[in-house]
Amino acid sequence: MRMESSEEEDDFPCIESVTPQSKIDSIYQSKTEKGIRKICFELLDLKDAVENLCGNTRTKCSAFLRLSEEVVETEHELNELRKHISAQGILVQDLMNGVGRELDEWSRASGDVQEANGSPQSSDYGDTFMNAMEDENVLFLENIDVLLAEHKIEEAIEAIDAKERSQPELKSSGETSSAEPSSFKSALSKRKKMLENQLVEITERPSIGIVELKKALSGLLKLGKGSLAHQLLIKSYRSRLQKSIEAFLPLCPCYPETYSATLSNLVFSTISLTTKESGMMFGDNPVYSNRIIQWAEREIEYFVRLVKEHAPPSDGAPALHAASVCAQASLNHCNALEKQGLKLSKLLLVLLRPYMEEVLELNFIRARKVVLDFASSDEGKPLSPRFASPLSTFATTSDTLLVESGMRFIYVVKEIVEKLTQLVILHFGANILTRISHLFDKYVDALIKGLPGLSEDDNLTELKEPVLFRAETDSEQLALLGTAFTIAEELLPMVVSRIWNLLNESKEVGSENMMPAANNTVELKDWRRQLQHSLDKLRDNFCQQYVVNFIYSRDGDARLDAQIYLSGVGEDTIWHTDPLPSLPFQALFGKLQQLATVAGDVLLGREKIQKVLLARLTETVVIWLSDEQEFWSVLEDELAPLQPLGLQQLILDMHFTVEIARFAGYPSRQVHQIASDIIARAVRTFSARGIDPQSALPEDEWFTETAKGAINKLLLGGSGSDTSEIDDEHLIMHDGGMSDSDGSPSSLSSVDSSESFASAQMGDLDSPVYFSDPES
């Protein structure tokens, strides 16, 4: 058995040799792992320490905050205690002084009473009563002092008010017969003065609210300080307004066109609120109302000054819009304030008028520069087709500078009108319309410079003032006239229609607030007459240069002179061939025909302008003949060989001129009158030389029919003489015709009767007219 066991032990090792797992772990565990574990333990310890530290910090912060609050409360309590001690010291001092004085007075009074009455019992009663009153007043004053020390202002005011109601003599200004009420009244006045000072201090706080302000002012009213309370009310609202304005002024450059409206809202809303509060607290006292008005007037003056100082440059459209918005908003506010009894509109208009005048003047100066600068090309000024289309019709027949200038004129006027507000138009509309008419007159003056000059003096002037465009041809000159007439007759009335509508509506309404000022009334017919005067000036300049160029040759010699009426053979009064007007008047007829044809193309759809223009041209010819002293000096010379045939020719020329006007269908009254004057003067001249008109001249019907026949022959191209023989000296047209740039009329035979003047027909010549005015 032992042998077997030993063998088993050899096969199986002893169990005691097995190593535990912990030992194996400790042997084989790496140094790195040990290090990591150690760090983890240290981090955990550090985390616990941080948490403990944070908790301690929060606890200490809370304790610190509580301590700070306690310190503040303690300081406040110390301040209150100091005030209380000071008030008590004042009270004790007053009591000491008052008691000593009262004892002396009572002693003297008691001795006098005892001597007078000899009754010690009555003296005892008096002393008792006086002591009771003294005690009551002392207690009252002590109560007031306590309330003042505790800043219980409302309770103190109520107590004083109740005391004064119970003792009316305390409110009286005079001294009473008794010394004691006088002393108490003096002490009470001191307390009231302290209350007043505290209330004034409250109203002057920068951050005081409306409710606190009203309470303080009500307290002053109860203390009988109504005037002071009203002054403090105005002062407080003025201070609020000043702060609001100072806060807004830096923003003015950001809103150049609307900043004035915001300032207006700030100023007038403050005035309105102050007026409302004054009425609620102080009633309708005239003294207070006048004070509010005076303050409001000063604020409006300051407001207008601010608007001027922060306005954009006055020559720009933004400045005009800012001024218009300012006037509109301010006048609306003034109308609203009238319901509160404040009438400030007149003052506002007086203050705003110089500013508005300045802005309008500078804007129209700017407009004048824009309109008269023909060389500038403003592509950034678009016009709607409604305004551009009437002017664009002249673009094909004239210089583009002319059309652009017309569009600039309408644009700049339209821009100004659109910047105006309703109330500005009602108060300044007449001024604006007058300025527009003056601007149009300046524009017309610039157009006149574009017409050919009339004399050497004009040419010298043009050298000093350069003209940037020239209307040389007939079509260009007619386009120039058409542009001016289109602006005045069509476009300007559309642009300013808003102004007229508002002015007319204000007249119809008739209310005081809507009626324009007395110096702002203007009639439409008067304004149109101003425009018409400018148009007449342009038209007359055109007619004068046109007629002068027709009458005088390039060498300066007159084509229409008196020599053509000094020919004749013997005493014959009848032509050997078919009678015709003299060559210059035949050329005039052709020239007018040619101009009418060009006008039909350039001024298409504007027949009124064509007729007025051609009528004025005819008038200019006879006016020149009537006023030309050189012409009449030849006829009236005693050595001139006058013959009846010359007088007959002159009268036929005048009839022919009148028939031209009648045939063309335009007004001829002025032509008729001047022609009659020329005939009368010629008859007197010839009669003075012994020629009897009755025997030498045929009847008036003969002249009329001959003039009509001459028009018929000239239209058909036939004449009693060969028109081709008439050289350029007499302005007779050649068969080939000429363009506008030549300046000479085309052949009479080349113009069909249906195209002459305003499409007059040959049948118009059939009706007999005995040298009469068709208009009459």
Side-chain angles (χ1 to χ4, degrees), residues 210 213-214 217-218 221 226-235 237 269-296 340 342:
I210 297 295
L213 176 65
K214 294 171 75 172
L217 297 177
S218 298
L221 280 174
S227 179
L228 176 61
H230 195 264
Q231 291 178 356
L232 291 173
L233 172 70
I234 295 177
K235 182 179 179 181
Y237 277 98
S269 60
T270 302
I271 293 175
S272 176
L273 182 60
T274 308
T275 305
K276 182 179 179 181
E277 294 295 340
S278 175
M280 293 175 60
M281 296 184 65
F282 301 93
D284 297 330
N285 191 323
V287 176
Y288 298 152
S289 300
N290 291 335
R291 188 179 294 168
I292 287 287
I293 292 174
Q294 293 174 0
W295 168 71
Q340 297 178 254
L342 295 180

Side-chain angles (χ1 to χ4, degrees), residues 436-715:
I436 290 175
S437 63
H438 289 167
L439 178 64
F440 180 73
D441 191 66
K442 294 294 183 182
Y443 175 65
V444 167
D445 289 339
L447 295 182
I448 291 174
K449 294 178 182 178
L451 295 172
L454 298 179
S455 65
E456 295 181 358
D457 294 338
D458 293 334
N459 294 330
L460 292 176
T461 303
E462 290 166 4
L463 292 176
K464 297 178 182 178
E465 300 178 4
V467 180
L468 297 175
F469 79 95
R470 275 290 191 185
E472 299 289 351
T473 65
D474 288 350
S475 60
E476 289 177 347
Q477 295 179 30
L478 290 174
L480 185 147
L481 293 171
T483 299
F485 275 85
T486 300
I487 290 174
E489 298 292 335
E490 299 179 28
L491 301 183
L492 267 185
M494 287 194 294
V495 172
V496 302
S497 59
R498 177 167 171 261
I499 297 178
W500 286 115
N501 292 338
L502 288 174
L503 292 177
N504 292 333
E505 288 175 5
S506 67
K507 292 179 181 179
E508 294 175 0
V509 172
S511 64
E512 183 179 355
N513 294 335
M514 291 292 291
M515 282 294 291
N519 58 349
N520 191 46
T521 56
V522 61
E523 295 294 335
L524 177 60
K525 60 181 181 180
D526 296 333
W527 185 72
R528 296 295 292 266
R529 190 179 295 115
Q530 295 174 3
L531 297 182
Q532 188 60 47
H533 175 74
S534 300
L535 291 177
D536 291 345
K537 181 170 60 174
L538 175 62
R539 183 197 61 197
D540 291 346
N541 274 273
F542 166 78
C543 293
Q544 288 174 14
Q545 63 87 18
Y546 200 86
V547 169
V548 167
N549 291 334
F550 163 75
I551 293 175
Y552 291 95
S553 65
R554 296 191 180 106
D555 298 331
D557 298 328
R559 297 186 176 102
L560 180 59
D561 56 21
Q563 295 298 327
I564 61 177
Y565 302 113
L566 296 180
S567 61
V569 182
E571 299 295 331
D572 295 337
T573 56
I574 301 177
W575 282 279
H576 296 289
T577 59
D578 292 335
L580 281 175
S582 58
L583 295 179
F585 285 90
Q586 294 182 42
L588 173 65
F589 181 69
K591 189 74 172 175
L592 293 176
Q593 273 191 302
Q594 177 202 9
L595 190 63
T597 303
V598 177
D601 297 332
V602 177
L603 304 176
L604 183 63
R606 297 175 174 86
E607 287 77 11
K608 178 182 177 182
I609 301 177
Q610 299 179 41
K611 290 185 177 183
V612 172
L613 179 62
L614 294 172
R616 186 58 181 168
L617 276 172
T618 311
E619 292 175 12
T620 305
V621 173
V622 292
I623 289 173
W624 178 90
L625 188 62
S626 175
D627 297 336
E628 183 60 29
Q629 294 303 319
E630 184 177 352
F631 176 88
W632 290 104
S633 64
V634 173
L635 290 181
E636 294 172 352
D637 187 2
E638 295 181 356
L639 301 177
L642 299 183
Q643 299 294 334
L645 186 60
L647 177 61
Q648 190 172 349
Q649 183 67 56
L650 177 58
I651 296 175
L652 177 60
D653 289 344
M654 293 301 99
H655 277 266
F656 179 71
T657 306
V658 173
E659 288 302 317
I660 290 175
R662 189 201 66 80
F663 167 68
Y666 47 73
S668 59
R669 179 180 301 173
Q670 185 72 5
V671 177
H672 175 275
Q673 181 61 45
I674 298 173
S676 299
D677 295 339
I678 292 173
I679 291 174
R681 182 173 180 178
V683 168
R684 290 195 300 271
T685 300
F686 279 79
S687 299
R689 302 291 296 278
I691 300 175
D692 183 13
Q694 298 295 331
S695 60
L697 299 178
E699 298 294 331
D700 288 343
E701 291 83 351
W702 181 89
F703 287 105
T704 302
E705 295 300 327
T706 303
K708 289 181 180 181
I711 291 177
N712 190 9
K713 293 174 185 178
L714 293 174
L715 288 174

Side-chain angles (χ1 to χ4, degrees), residues 92-104 134 183:
V92 170
Q93 186 67 33
D94 291 343
L95 287 174
M96 291 175 63
N97 296 333
V99 167
R101 187 170 56 254
E102 294 295 332
L103 288 174
D104 294 339
E134 178 187 2
S183 175

Side-chain angles (χ1 to χ4, degrees), residues 756-776:
S756 61
F757 298 101
S759 299
Q761 302 297 325
M762 294 301 298
D764 294 338
L765 302 175
D766 297 336
S767 57
V769 178
Y770 301 103
F771 203 27
S772 61
D773 183 9
E775 292 180 353
S776 58

Side-chain angles (χ1 to χ4, degrees), residues 235-308:
K235 182 179 179 181
S236 177
Y237 277 98
R238 181 175 57 194
S239 176
R240 292 171 183 272
L241 175 60
Q242 185 66 32
K243 292 178 181 178
S244 300
I245 291 176
E246 290 176 355
F248 175 72
L249 287 181
L251 301 177
C252 288
C254 301
Y255 309 97
E257 297 190 14
T258 58
Y259 80 97
S260 57
T262 304
L263 281 177
S264 176
N265 291 335
L266 290 176
V267 172
F268 285 94
S269 60
T270 302
I271 293 175
S272 176
L273 182 60
T274 308
T275 305
K276 182 179 179 181
E277 294 295 340
S278 175
M280 293 175 60
M281 296 184 65
F282 301 93
D284 297 330
N285 191 323
V287 176
Y288 298 152
S289 300
N290 291 335
R291 188 179 294 168
I292 287 287
I293 292 174
Q294 293 174 0
W295 168 71
E297 290 176 349
R298 290 195 299 269
E299 293 300 328
I300 292 175
E301 292 176 3
Y302 177 62
F303 158 69
V304 174
R305 188 164 65 251
L306 284 178
V307 170
K308 294 179 181 179

